[in-house]
Amino acid sequence: MKKMDILQAPFVREMVEVTTNLYRLGWDERNGGNISYLLKKEEILPFLDPNEVLRTIPMIFDGSKLAGKYFIVTGSGKYFKNVSAAPTDNLGVVRVSDDGKGVELLWGLTNDAVPTSELPSHFMSHIARLEVDPENRVIMHNHASHLLAMSFTHNLDEKAFTRTLWQMCTECLVVFPEGIGVLPWLVPGTNEIGKATAAKMKETRLVLWPQHGIYGAGKDMDEVFGLIETAEKAAEVYTYVCAQGGIKQTISDENLWTLADAFGVIPKEGYLEER
Ligand code: 13P
Ligand code: ZN
């Protein structure tokens, strides 16, 4: 059966749209940032023949828990700025090989391009998130400016960092009641940072890489984009608050408890003063 034009596939359109938005926001300079999006086989079948493997690309970690799964990913060294003009050069659809030692390329990543160098962090995070939420499909990394700046000026204790974000915008507690995970500074693209990110992802959908950027996870593109956008907005407000001379009043823990009750969310245990 004749396949449809993959450039019209909803998952390609979504990747184009989100990378364009992320670039517009200034969070993905040069090749900064990467996205992986778990696809269902039935989503790719109208566009691709799963038996037509263009090439196999080795991975430096064990992806066997994702064997047979399909993803659309951003390419390594590719600029989000360029994705909309040339999706085939900058994006790729891959399937994790049966032995978990590589990915089979089905579309895109032309001229021998390879998936993002952060594939260990992405795939290990997918494995971690799928264990707690079978609906999880998207992992997104970018260099959100104010969160990145805040990783220089704010205490990196997870509870302290989370509490400040919750206090900066009323919506924050509702959007990420589990808080934000914070790693130590680590070398990007390694299995070590992949394992550390995935370990945090078991508890929180947001993980800060100090002096580097942010990771987010969720069931769809809107959820992850919205999650990062909300935390980044709080970090932006924090930047203004500091520039305006510091906090004179904020949202009290009592208010945060009332908010949690009103929206039916459970704040991370121990992060708010007991009522
Ligand atoms: P890639 O171009 O390999 O995706 O790397 C970008 C990045 O942000 C590394 O952390
Ligand atoms: Zn990065």
Side-chain angles (χ1 to χ4, degrees):
M1 204 177 72
K2 186 160 166 22
K3 297 290 178 188
M4 282 157 44
D5 177 10
I6 193 168
L7 294 181
Q8 304 309 323
F11 51 85
V12 173
R13 305 303 316 153
E14 277 185 272
M15 289 291 275
V16 167
E17 192 183 319
V18 77
T19 48
T20 304
N21 267 329
L22 287 160
Y23 177 69
R24 178 181 57 79
L25 287 160
W27 304 344
D28 294 278
E29 73 290 343
R30 200 174 182 273
N31 65 310
N34 23 76
I35 303 171
S36 59
Y37 180 8
L38 176 61
L39 303 174
K40 296 180 183 127
K41 190 174 182 184
E42 58 265 31
E43 286 176 297
I44 68 142
L45 282 181
F47 307 98
L48 292 172
D49 178 350
N51 299 316
E52 274 183 34
V53 175
L54 302 174
R55 60 194 154 96
T56 299
I57 303 164
M59 297 194 298
I60 56 169
F61 61 97
D62 177 17
S64 51
K65 283 195 177 153
L66 297 173
K69 293 204 185 297
Y70 295 87
F71 292 87
I72 185 165
V73 297
T74 51
S76 184
K78 302 298 182 185
Y79 294 24
F80 280 17
K81 173 172 78 68
N82 299 338
V83 175
S84 67
T88 314
D89 295 341
N90 295 287
L91 304 174
V93 172
V94 296
R95 177 178 54 217
V96 180
S97 60
D98 286 341
D99 62 7
K101 289 184 178 154
V103 288
E104 297 157 344
L105 180 67
L106 300 176
W107 169 79
L109 296 177
T110 49
N111 300 316
D112 283 331
V114 293
T116 172
S117 60
E118 302 293 4
L119 213 54
S121 291
H122 279 256
F123 278 3
M124 288 183 209
S125 293
H126 276 289
I127 293 167
R129 285 309 305 168
L130 285 168
E131 278 168 13
V132 288
D133 176 9
E135 299 293 309
N136 192 90
R137 295 180 69 188
V138 177
I139 303 288
M140 185 185 292
H141 163 62
N142 61 56
H143 301 166
S145 315
H146 298 85
L147 283 165
L148 178 47
M150 216 175 137
S151 77
F152 291 83
T153 58
H154 197 280
N155 178 349
L156 289 177
D157 172 70
E158 287 176 344
K159 176 177 167 182
F161 206 95
T162 297
R163 285 179 52 83
T164 297
L165 294 179
W166 284 352
Q167 287 165 347
M168 290 300 118
C169 299
T170 296
E171 288 292 297
C172 281
L173 175 73
V174 179
V175 177
F176 49 97
E178 79 271 35
I180 180 168
V182 181
L183 293 191
W185 186 91
L186 291 168
V187 178
T190 59
N191 285 349
E192 188 192 9
I193 202 166
K195 281 183 197 152
T197 307
K200 294 289 181 196
M201 283 277 182
K202 288 187 178 149
E203 302 272 331
T204 62
R205 290 162 300 152
L206 280 170
V207 179
L208 182 73
W209 286 9
Q211 297 86 49
H212 183 143
I214 184 80
Y215 262 75
K219 64 181 188 320
D220 58 37
M221 212 60 90
D222 268 357
E223 183 188 328
V224 185
F225 190 90
L227 182 64
I228 293 179
E229 204 177 24
T230 305
E232 166 62 11
K233 175 64 181 275
E236 185 176 4
V237 173
Y238 178 75
T239 309
Y240 293 139
V241 167
C242 293
Q244 288 182 16
I247 296 171
K248 296 268 191 300
Q249 58 278 320
T250 187
I251 312 170
S252 67
D253 281 21
E254 205 183 318
N255 288 340
L256 289 169
W257 278 118
T258 315
L259 182 69
D261 290 344
F263 283 85
V265 296
I266 301 167
K268 165 94 175 173
E269 204 186 333
Y271 276 24
L272 294 181
E273 267 174 41
E274 286 304 316
R275 21 183 188 186

